[in-house]
């Protein structure tokens, strides 16, 4: 019986392929090649370069898992959202493989994939809040019992992860900025640079990071040159305000929605300051905190493969000739 699903993820700057057993959820293969180093010199992802690097990395990873081809029952691929040229690299490969092996093709929404990073080896649990913090998105959702997703809050401008990237770029620290800023903040000693918490006095259930980012920019302009100590103080002040902003809005949401559990996913959910603040908040509200394994917070094909297991059961297949890059129903409204 063929029970393996091969999944491809290439929505941004990570080329990744995973093979999962749909009956046992066992991961048979998982590999990811990141392009961070190549984009680092530009301080952000360059789409053209990303697509070129995917076209080198994906075939080389696929070659390494060819022993599983004769046991595959489907091919899954991230089809939205993301950089079009990056997504197309994965989609083209998935379509070619699915037609060559005569297998169903399963398109998977990337954000849905992140949610499944909480349930890589277990059944999907519903009736809970989800905080998604990545480079492209910052949102709070409610996953209802019927599988529908209610969008409770999202960012009005930049995302949480993106603001780390931009602040790192302002200080010429490289890309991606998340871990760089987090590590630098640990070296702060004085902790005397403070930034206001965005939308603190607004009841709006939304996030905003562009004002904070500009405040950091203005602060940087006050100094003639930035030494390591000053950079650490800036990183600390910025991270504190960005994390407290998430917590402030979440607390407002907790008052309205009595979440029994909160799942936290996305590349930026690896941030330990954020994790520790979330843990305190959840304790206060008697809410169970579910965190994705650190290794699977950032983009990876295993979360896409896991999402594809449930999609396979529901027969959510696409035609090979379908334009899955721009599906008719663009809404991310159910799991
Ligand atoms: O989920 P992901 O891999 O890609 C997207 O779907 O966007 O998230 C990448 C983002 C980047 O912006 C990166 O700087 C951020 O997650 N990130 C972090 C941390 N690790 C990664 N942000 C804050 N703290 C971190 N430790
Ligand atoms: Zn992502």
């Amino acid at each position: 019986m063929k029970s393996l699903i091969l999944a491809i993820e290439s929505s941004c700057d990570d080329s990744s392929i995973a093979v999962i057993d749909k009956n046992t959820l066992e991961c048979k293969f998982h590999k990811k090649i990141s392009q961070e180093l190549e984009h680092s010199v530009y301080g952000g992802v360059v789409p053209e370069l990303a697509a070129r690097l995917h076209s080198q990395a994906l075939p080389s990873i696929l070659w390494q898992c060819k022993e599983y081809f004769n046991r595959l029952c489907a091919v899954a691929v991230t089809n939205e959202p993301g950089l079009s040229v990056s997504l197309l690299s994965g989609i083209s490969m998935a379509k070619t493989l699915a037609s060559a092996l005569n297998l169903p093709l399963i398109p998977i929404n990337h954000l849905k994939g992140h949610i499944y990073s909480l349930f890589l080896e277990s059944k999907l649990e519903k009736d809970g809040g989800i905080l998604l913090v990545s480079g492209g998105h910052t949102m709070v959702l409610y996953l209802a019992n019927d599988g529908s997703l209610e969008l409770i809050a999202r960012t009005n401008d930049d995302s949480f992860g993106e603001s780390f990237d931009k602040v790192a770029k302002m200080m010429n620290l490289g890309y991606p900025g998340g871990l760089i800023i987090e590590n630098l903040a640990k070296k702060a000693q004085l902790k005397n640079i403070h930034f206001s918490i965005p939308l603190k006095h607004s009841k709006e259930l939304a996030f905003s990071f562009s004002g904070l980012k500009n405040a950091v920019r203005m602060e940087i302009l006050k100094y003639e040159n930035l030494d390591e100590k000053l950079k650490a103080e800036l990183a600390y002040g910025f991270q504190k305000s960005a994390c407290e902003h998430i917590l402030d809005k979440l607390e407002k949401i907790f008052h309205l929605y009595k979440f029994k559990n909160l799942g936290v996913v996305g590349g930026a959910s690896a941030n330990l300051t954020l994790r520790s603040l979330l843990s305190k908040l959840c304790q206060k509200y008697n809410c169970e905190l579910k965190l994705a394994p650190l290794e699977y917070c950032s983009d990876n094909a295993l979360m896409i493969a896991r999402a594809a297991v449930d999609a396979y059961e529901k027969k959510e297949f696409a035609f090979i000739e379908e334009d899955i890059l721009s599906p008719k129903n663009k809404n991310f409204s159910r799991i």
Side-chain angles (χ1 to χ4, degrees), residues 60 64 67 73 77 98 111 145-146 151 166 212 230 282 287 291 295 300 324-325 334:
S60 94
Q64 294 169 40
E67 65 182 280
C73 62
V77 64
L111 308 183
N145 266 326
D146 64 358
L151 178 64
K166 289 187 175 163
L212 172 61
L230 187 53
C282 285
C287 169
L291 297 161
E295 196 190 340
N300 65 86
I324 57 171
L325 178 65
R334 54 186 320 107

Side-chain angles (χ1 to χ4, degrees), residues 9 11-14 32 110-111 114 132-137 159-165 175-183 239 265-272 297-300 303:
E9 157 64 40
S11 63
C12 190
D13 58 343
D14 293 301
K32 162 165 146 173
H110 181 76
L111 308 183
H114 273 301
L132 170 65
V133 275
S134 68
H137 298 86
S159 74
F160 178 76
E162 187 182 10
S163 66
F164 278 71
D165 296 336
Y175 170 88
L179 193 58
I180 299 174
I181 294 286
E182 180 174 13
N183 286 336
Q239 177 176 257
V265 298
S269 71
N271 186 286
L272 297 181
C297 288
S298 58
D299 293 349
N300 65 86
M303 67 187 194

Side-chain angles (χ1 to χ4, degrees), residues 198-268:
L199 304 177
K200 175 84 181 164
H201 303 291
S202 155
K203 285 191 181 143
E204 194 188 355
L205 295 184
F207 300 101
S208 169
F209 294 93
S210 66
L212 172 61
K213 182 186 71 186
N214 276 329
V216 177
R217 193 189 308 280
M218 299 307 287
E219 185 67 26
I220 290 174
L221 286 175
K222 287 188 194 164
Y223 307 94
E224 266 189 18
N225 63 20
L226 296 178
D227 62 17
E228 281 311 298
K229 281 185 181 163
L230 187 53
K231 284 182 185 174
E233 301 301 332
L234 285 161
Y236 178 87
F238 157 73
Q239 177 176 257
K240 186 167 186 289
S241 169
C243 290
E244 286 182 0
H245 174 37
I246 299 270
L247 266 285
D248 172 50
K249 289 300 173 186
L250 260 182
E251 185 148 18
K252 290 188 168 93
I253 291 169
F254 273 34
H255 281 290
L256 296 170
Y257 293 75
K258 314 273 180 233
F259 291 150
K260 284 187 233 144
N261 52 68
L262 177 74
V264 185
V265 298

